[in-house]
Structure formats: C-alpha cells, structure tokens
C-alpha cells in the first residue's frame, strides 16, 4: 500500500482559511498555525489550491509565475516552513498544478503575444481569423463567450477554455512540457509530496480545430467536448515518467467529463499515468436543463448516486484507486445541497460523511466540511466568482433567459462561491478568520456554526469526522475490503458491505428526512450486532432508520 491509499486528505483554500497578517486574506502562515488543528482532526495530507503569483481572476487558477508564492499568501520561505512543519507533524503537502493554462500576465504569454517568431510564440495556441475576421471556430469558453480572443500585434486569436485572461498552453510544444515539469521538480526540491492536477484531461486539443456541429442558430458559441484529446494519455504518461515516478510524487488529476473507462485508463498503475482522478459524474445527480436551456437544479437523484458510486467501486476495485469527494472549492456545501442545513444539519452532514468515508479509496475533506458549514444565501452582488458573474451577465442581463430570482435559486444550491466563504473558527469578529476586513463575506451563520462551538456540542460533526478518520487508520477493512452494494433499488437508503478476510461491515445510511423501515434488510441485519459508528446518541439498532441516521455495523 502506498501512503496515499491509507490517507485522508484535507483540501485548503488558503485565501479563506486563516489570516495572520490581518489584510483580510488567508495566508500560508495561517495554514501553518492551524496545523495542530488539522492534526487533531487526524488528516494525513493537505492539498493547497494554487498559491502562486496570480492576478486572481480565477482565484489563483490563473498563474503568472509557477515558482513564486503570491505575496498575498506570503513568500517561498513561508511555504518551505509550512512544508517542514507539516512534515514534522507527519502531514504530507500536495500542491495544485494548473498546467492547462496560465494567466495572461505570465511572462511566457506576454512574450508570446508580441510576435509570431519569438522564443515563446508557440507556447500558446494561436490561429488566424476566418476570412471575415471572426474567431477561428465556434468553440465556447467555460466561463461564457467565445474560447478565442483577438490580439492585434499578431493579427491572430489565442485559445482559452476558461476566461480570456487564462490562455491555454500549447502542450504540443515540447518546450512547454519541459517548463511545466521543471516547475514541478522545483517544488519537489522544496519538499512537496504530490500534486492535484487541474483539468489535466483538457491539455490535449482537438487539432482539427473544427466547428462544433450545431442546429441551434441562436447560439454563436457552442460548448466543446474538450477532454481526452488525441495526445492526452501520451502527455500524462510523459509527465509521469519525467516527474511523478522518478521523484515519487503522488498525483490526483481533475477529470471533468471522463467516464469510467477513461478514469481507469488514467489511473491503472501499469499505464504509469496518475494515481487517482476526480470523476464528476456523481456530482451531477441534482443538475438539470431548465428554462431556455439554462442550468437548473432538481431534487437529488440518490438512486443515481448509488449507481454511479457503486459502479466506480466495482470497476476500480483491484485495478486502480478511487478519489472520494462530495465537497471542494468548486462545489457547494452538502448539508444545503443534498441534506437539510437547518433541522438535520448534524445528521445530514454526518450521514453523507459516513457514505463517503465508508467507501474504498482516498477520502478528501474540504475545509469547513468537518464542521458542517452551509451555503450562504447571497444576493447577486455578494458573489465574487468570475464564472457566476459572467453567467449572470449573459443569462439574465443580456439574453433574459432567467430572472434574477430564478438565477439565484439555482446558485444558492450550487454556486462555487458557496464553498469559498471564510472558514468559521469561532463566534467572534469575522468568525475568527481575520481581524481585518475579510476579502469575502463571512457566512452570517458563523455565530452558530463554527469550530469552537461544534467541538463543545454534544452533536459534534468534527468529532464524528475524527472517528471516521481514526477508523480508516485502524481498520484494514476500510482500506482493503471489497465492496458489495445492498438494496440496489432503494432510492432512500444507501447500504453496502465491506469485507476483508473474515470481517464484514455494513454501512447503512438514510439519505432522507423521513423515518424508513428496515424490513427489507432484516434478515441481513440480524447478523450485524456490533455498532462501530452511529450518528444518533442511542446505541441500539432499531427497525426504523430515523432522518439521516447512519450506521457502521460489524457482523
Ligand atoms: C478547475 C478548478 O478547480 C476551478 O476552480 C478553475 O476555475 C478551473 N479548473 C480552471 O482552472
């Protein structure tokens, strides 16, 4: 077993974690200061979202210099000290490599845009306009509008899958790849243990650059299936051979749109690509196409959740390794999204945690998840995310596809900013996040929901997470045990067995706020006498599963 297979990894969004110099922005010294808190929680590794020099158009996912820590977070020495301190506490450190694109403020791009024949000209993807001067094709950018922006100096357009300030790198150019690998080796020399690889499945482009076929004449720009391009596996394998393998660094790739076959290819050890990949499919169970084609949310389809997660468990078992998550900096808070963030906040937070941490794979926790933080209900001007702002402009202001209320109804459930509000440490000023003016509005519910009061509560979500993590460290069955789904057709109860050697565990979770009868499971249940973990205070298995009740039981 590799260290990351028996680990629980904690994702930190440094900007919103803890501020030590009172400029209102979280910093690396803040992360260092909170290491004892993370040790107490029990996690084995931290993943820091990008901390490099950046104009912060997309909160650091627009890198201007891969080798320099942005002054807002501190400096390179602070990162070194954080890594050393973490290592002394036996906590590994994972950085985020954003290598599909850079910032337009990166020196490579600044040079590239000057002419067609300088050293950096070919570092990005440049194309001539169509004869009428328009974009080279109809590809849409993820954050709205065209995926191409015109630069007069070159009389050409450059490609950007995200904002125009995030030009895509040209991975076909071997020099680009060497520059990226070198940056990763540099951080290895500073002690970094592994990588989360941002949208790594988008690095290889469709080199025909053809229009996406469409019948919709109203739409000028069409979303492209922009993952798994022709050279993706070749490039990732090369990255593996030149950086990950020789320097023994762990890797988890972000894999939007990849199906299970692709995930298997990316993560099967004999292919020497990545250790793990974040799949997206299970996070789509509440997404729908709404009015005028805009994204909408619907009641989560838990049957689908069970099917998708179970399929991953079966298919990856013994062939590769799962990356398990429900929350991250691009997703919203689970108690609000799938559970009940008022009456059953504790129960629903711990119920979904039990489902996730009972599975085979490496669980990832996003900051604040361990105290059941919830989505705030912000107004449009209280959101900060470029993606949301652009969508609002396009869908509400320009095209009138939705009203502001309709737009907000969706975003209150799924906006990325829901996860990016400052960490709630206590009930004092700014939730104890900063003494200054927070860069982003603190969720007003911090007076009730915060680390300090959670730990004092009888129903502590933090303590429940501690128990889940301790179990993973103590019990081989959670790491190595086979998975077997039960009650496949039940849309309310998630039930599965894990078995290892002569041990068998049952994970049993009510995903609703209704009382549910356990009749169907009865014969099976009789065998499971010992309660390993339970999110209600009584210590007896009854015939009814109460709202969001969750058990781990042993035969
Ligand atoms: C995925 C990151 O998680 C997200 O926050 C970012 O906006 C995009 N990649 C673009 O880098």
């Amino acid at each position: 077993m590799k260290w990351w297979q028996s680990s629980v990894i904690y994702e930190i969004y440094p900007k919103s974690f803890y501020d030590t110099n009172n400029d209102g922005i979280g910093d690396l010294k803040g992360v260092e200061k909170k290491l004892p808190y993370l040790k107490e929680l029990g996690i084995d590794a931290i993943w820091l979202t990008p901390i490099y020099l950046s104009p912060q158009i997309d909160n650091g996912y627009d890198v201007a210099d891969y080798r320099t820590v942005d002054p807002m977070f501190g400096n390179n020495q602070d990162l070194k000290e954080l890594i050393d301190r973490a290592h002394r506490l036996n906590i590994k450190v994972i950085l985020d490599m954003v290598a599909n694109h850079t910032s337009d403020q990166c020196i490579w791009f600044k040079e590239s845009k000057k002419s067609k024949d300088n050293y950096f000209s070919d570092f990005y993807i440049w194309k001539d306009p169509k004869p009428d001067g328009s974009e080279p094709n109809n590809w849409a950018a993820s954050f709205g509008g065209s995926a191409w922006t015109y630069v007069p100096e070159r009389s050409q357009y450059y490609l950007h899958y995200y904002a125009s300030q995030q030009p895509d790198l040209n991975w076909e150019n071997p020099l680009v790849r060497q520059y990226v690998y070198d940056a990763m080796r540099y951080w290895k020399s500073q002690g970094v243990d592994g990588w989360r690889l941002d949208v790594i499945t988008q690095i290889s482009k469709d080199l025909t650059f053809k229009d996406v076929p469409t019948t919709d004449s109203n739409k000028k720009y069409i979303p492209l299936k922009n993952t798994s391009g022709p050279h993706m596996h070749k490039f990732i394998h090369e990255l593996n051979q030149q950086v990950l393998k020789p320097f023994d660094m762990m890797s988890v790739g972000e894999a939007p749109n990849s199906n299970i076959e692709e995930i298997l290819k990316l993560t099967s050890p004999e292919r020497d690509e990545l250790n793990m990949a974040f799949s997206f499919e299970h996070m789509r169970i509440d997404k729908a196409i709404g009015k005028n084609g805009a994204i909408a949310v619907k009641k989560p389809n838990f049957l689908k959740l069970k099917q998708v997660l179970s399929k991953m468990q079966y298919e990856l078992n013994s062939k590769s390794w799962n990356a398990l998550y429900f929350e991250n900096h691009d997703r919203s808070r689970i108690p609000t999204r799938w559970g009940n963030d008022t009456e059953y906040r504790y129960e629903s937070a711990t119920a979904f945690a039990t489902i996730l941490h009972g599975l085979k794979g490496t669980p990832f926790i996003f900051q604040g998840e361990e105290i059941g933080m919830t989505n705030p209900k912000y107004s449009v001007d209280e959101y900060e995310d470029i993606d949301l702002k652009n969508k609002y402009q396009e869908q509400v202001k320009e095209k009138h596809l939705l009203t502001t209320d309709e737009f907000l109804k969706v975003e209150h459930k799924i906006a990325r900013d829901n996860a990016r509000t400052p960490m709630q440490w206590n009930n004092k000023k700014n939730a104890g996040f900063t003494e200054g003016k927070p860069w982003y509005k603190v969720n007003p519910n911090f007076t009730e929901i915060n680390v300090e009061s959670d730990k004092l509560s009888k129903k502590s979500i933090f303590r429940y997470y501690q128990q889940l993590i301790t179990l993973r460290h103590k019990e081989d069955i959670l790491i190595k045990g086979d998975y077997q789904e039960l009650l496949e057709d039940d849309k309310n109860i998630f039930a599965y067995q894990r078995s290892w050697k002569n041990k068998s565990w049952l994970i049993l979770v009510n995903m609703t706020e209704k009382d549910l009868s356990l009749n169907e499971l009865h014969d099976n249940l009789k065998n499971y006498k010992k309660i390993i973990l339970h999110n209600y205070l009584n210590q007896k298995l009854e015939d009814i599963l109460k709202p969001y009740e969750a058990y781990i039981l042993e035969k």
Side-chain angles (χ1 to χ4, degrees):
M1 282 278 146
K2 300 278 191 194
W3 67 263
W4 43 268
Q5 292 179 299
S6 52
S7 290
V8 177
I9 301 179
Y10 187 91
E11 182 193 353
I12 296 181
Y13 202 66
K15 225 174 163 174
S16 295
F17 194 58
Y18 187 57
D19 176 23
T20 55
N21 65 352
N22 295 324
D23 62 355
I25 303 171
D27 42 47
L28 293 175
K29 280 287 160 221
V31 177
E32 189 179 332
K33 212 149 181 201
K34 292 295 182 186
L35 285 174
Y37 166 79
L38 298 172
K39 193 70 203 165
E40 186 189 347
L41 178 61
I43 52 95
D44 306 278
I46 53 174
W47 146 30
L48 303 176
T49 60
I51 37 71
Y52 322 101
L53 193 72
S54 160
Q56 300 283 316
I57 292 291
D58 186 20
N59 286 323
Y61 284 93
D62 47 324
V63 178
D65 180 351
Y66 290 98
R67 292 170 187 244
T68 306
V69 167
D70 195 291
M72 77 161 67
F73 295 123
N75 55 38
N76 289 28
Q77 184 57 28
D78 292 341
L79 183 54
K80 182 82 183 77
E81 283 166 20
L82 165 62
I83 295 169
D84 291 345
R85 176 100 187 271
H87 285 170
R88 286 200 297 276
L89 290 169
N90 223 350
I91 294 176
K92 304 250 196 281
V93 179
I94 294 160
L95 292 189
D96 207 320
M97 176 43 71
V98 191
N100 175 67
H101 44 269
T102 67
S103 157
D104 62 350
Q105 299 307 304
C106 177
I107 185 79
W108 312 345
F109 187 72
K110 286 189 182 165
E111 289 299 313
S112 188
K113 69 189 263 203
K114 283 186 184 158
S115 70
K116 291 181 185 169
D117 51 13
N118 67 59
Y119 183 82
F120 291 99
S121 299
D122 205 18
F123 266 50
Y124 296 84
I125 298 160
W126 295 95
K127 289 276 167 243
D128 291 337
K130 281 190 177 157
D132 66 357
S134 65
E135 295 89 358
N137 62 35
N138 67 356
W139 295 358
S142 276
F143 293 163
S146 169
W148 298 93
T149 292
Y150 187 70
V151 171
E153 291 101 307
R154 282 185 64 142
S155 310
Q156 282 187 313
Y157 284 87
Y158 65 87
L159 178 68
H160 51 88
Y161 280 172
Y162 294 88
S164 61
Q165 299 91 332
Q166 294 168 293
D168 279 38
L169 282 166
N170 176 15
W171 274 68
E172 300 296 327
N173 179 348
L175 260 184
V176 166
R177 308 202 297 270
Q178 286 309 326
Y179 271 50
V180 170
Y181 306 157
D182 261 359
M184 296 172 81
R185 292 185 195 110
Y186 166 71
W187 288 113
K188 171 72 194 179
S189 77
Q190 303 301 295
V192 164
D193 303 285
W195 294 97
R196 180 262 187 189
L197 297 147
D198 187 61
V199 290
I200 194 69
T201 52
Q202 297 182 339
I203 54 178
S204 163
K205 314 301 181 203
D206 168 4
L207 297 171
T208 66
F209 294 98
K210 280 203 268 200
D211 277 341
V212 180
T214 176
T215 47
D216 186 348
S217 54
N218 290 329
K219 266 199 182 159
K220 205 164 161 203
Y221 308 117
I222 314 294
L224 165 79
K225 183 185 172 310
N226 60 9
T227 52
S228 299
H231 301 140
M232 180 191 77
H233 290 293
K234 187 178 109 191
F235 293 154
I236 298 179
H237 177 69
E238 184 184 86
L239 168 82
N240 175 294
Q241 297 298 290
Q242 300 225 1
V243 186
L244 302 172
K245 198 159 192 183
F247 296 101
D248 193 21
M249 299 183 94
M250 168 246 146
S251 58
V252 53
E254 191 192 21
N257 300 328
S258 296
N259 59 22
I260 213 151
E261 288 70 33
E262 269 302 318
I263 300 272
L264 262 174
K265 276 192 169 174
L266 287 165
T267 59
S268 295
E270 71 280 4
R271 291 179 57 90
D272 278 335
E273 293 186 23
L274 304 173
N275 297 138
M276 294 175 274
F278 290 125
S279 159
F280 279 35
E281 214 185 331
H282 68 291
M283 298 310 296
R284 300 219 167 95
I285 59 159
D286 51 1
K287 296 234 175 118
I289 304 293
K291 208 175 119 191
N292 295 321
I295 282 269
V297 280
K298 59 177 187 193
K299 215 170 142 248
N301 180 344
F302 290 134
L303 205 52
K304 190 84 208 277
L305 180 74
K306 292 172 32 161
Q307 284 161 357
V308 175
L309 290 178
S310 298
K311 189 153 187 248
M312 290 286 278
Q313 291 288 302
Y314 292 130
E315 296 278 326
L316 267 59
N317 190 27
S318 76
K319 291 199 207 114
S320 92
W321 197 256
N322 266 292
L324 308 167
Y325 76 96
F326 286 150
E327 287 189 17
N328 66 33
H329 65 286
D330 291 332
R331 314 276 170 189
S332 64
R333 299 295 187 179
I334 285 297
T336 314
R337 185 171 177 177
W338 293 348
N340 175 326
D341 64 2
T342 50
E343 198 183 345
Y344 296 116
R345 190 175 62 85
Y346 168 83
E347 289 76 6
S348 59
T350 50
F352 287 102
T354 311
I355 294 173
L356 197 82
H357 288 251
L359 294 171
K360 187 168 182 177
T362 297
F364 288 74
I365 300 172
F366 178 64
Q367 66 185 45
E369 189 175 349
E370 77 280 17
I371 55 160
M373 277 175 62
T374 65
N375 293 357
K377 276 205 164 100
Y378 286 168
S379 60
V380 171
D381 50 8
E382 285 172 327
Y383 286 108
E384 195 273 343
D385 178 14
I386 182 174
D387 185 23
L388 184 146
K389 288 189 158 173
N390 288 354
K391 285 199 177 112
Y392 180 71
Q393 187 59 27
E394 191 180 320
Q395 296 178 354
V396 182
K397 291 288 182 207
E398 285 161 19
K399 297 192 178 155
H400 307 289
L401 303 179
L402 299 173
T403 64
T404 297
D405 282 353
E406 287 166 341
F407 180 84
L408 281 179
K409 202 171 156 221
V410 175
E411 300 304 332
H412 284 163
K413 278 278 181 196
I414 59 168
R416 309 197 299 176
D417 276 343
N418 288 312
R420 299 175 180 181
T421 60
M423 179 74 182
Q424 294 166 204
W425 294 105
N426 57 40
N427 64 6
K428 308 213 177 71
K429 185 179 165 193
N430 302 325
F433 161 68
T434 179
E435 286 296 318
K437 184 175 177 323
W439 77 275
Y440 194 39
K441 185 178 169 185
V442 178
N443 188 331
N445 69 13
F446 74 90
T447 46
E448 265 168 69
I449 302 174
N450 59 68
V451 171
E452 233 171 67
S453 51
D454 183 274
K455 282 188 180 170
L456 290 173
S457 165
K458 261 202 217 137
K459 297 207 268 184
S460 163
I461 299 171
F462 180 90
R463 261 201 315 278
Y464 196 85
Y465 269 88
Q466 274 183 321
Q467 287 173 291
L468 284 170
I469 297 168
T470 307
L471 279 179
R472 187 157 289 257
H473 290 154
K474 282 205 324 229
E475 301 281 354
D476 266 3
I477 185 169
L478 276 183
I479 295 165
K480 299 181 182 155
D482 284 333
Y483 173 93
Q484 173 71 51
E485 192 189 1
L486 302 172
L487 300 183
E488 280 103 330
D489 301 325
D490 194 309
K491 59 184 189 332
N492 301 319
I493 298 177
F494 207 141
Y496 57 86
Q497 271 166 338
R498 298 289 308 274
S499 24
W500 175 247
K501 299 200 170 145
N502 49 9
K503 224 181 208 182
S504 173
W505 280 14
L506 174 68
I507 284 82
L508 181 64
V509 180
N510 178 355
M511 294 180 283
T512 76
E513 51 194 68
K514 292 181 290 201
D515 282 346
L516 299 174
S517 144
L518 279 174
N519 285 342
E520 259 191 81
L521 258 180
H522 224 88
D523 285 343
N524 226 318
L525 269 183
K526 271 188 283 179
N527 301 323
Y528 287 90
K529 298 229 166 65
K530 186 167 162 205
I531 297 179
I532 301 287
L533 192 64
H534 184 201
N535 67 349
Y536 272 74
L537 293 175
N538 65 321
Q539 281 299 311
K540 214 171 101 220
L541 183 59
E542 284 155 6
D543 289 350
I544 297 286
L545 269 185
K546 293 190 274 301
Y548 299 106
E549 188 163 16
Y551 285 100
I552 299 182
L553 301 161
E554 185 172 284
K555 213 177 225 173

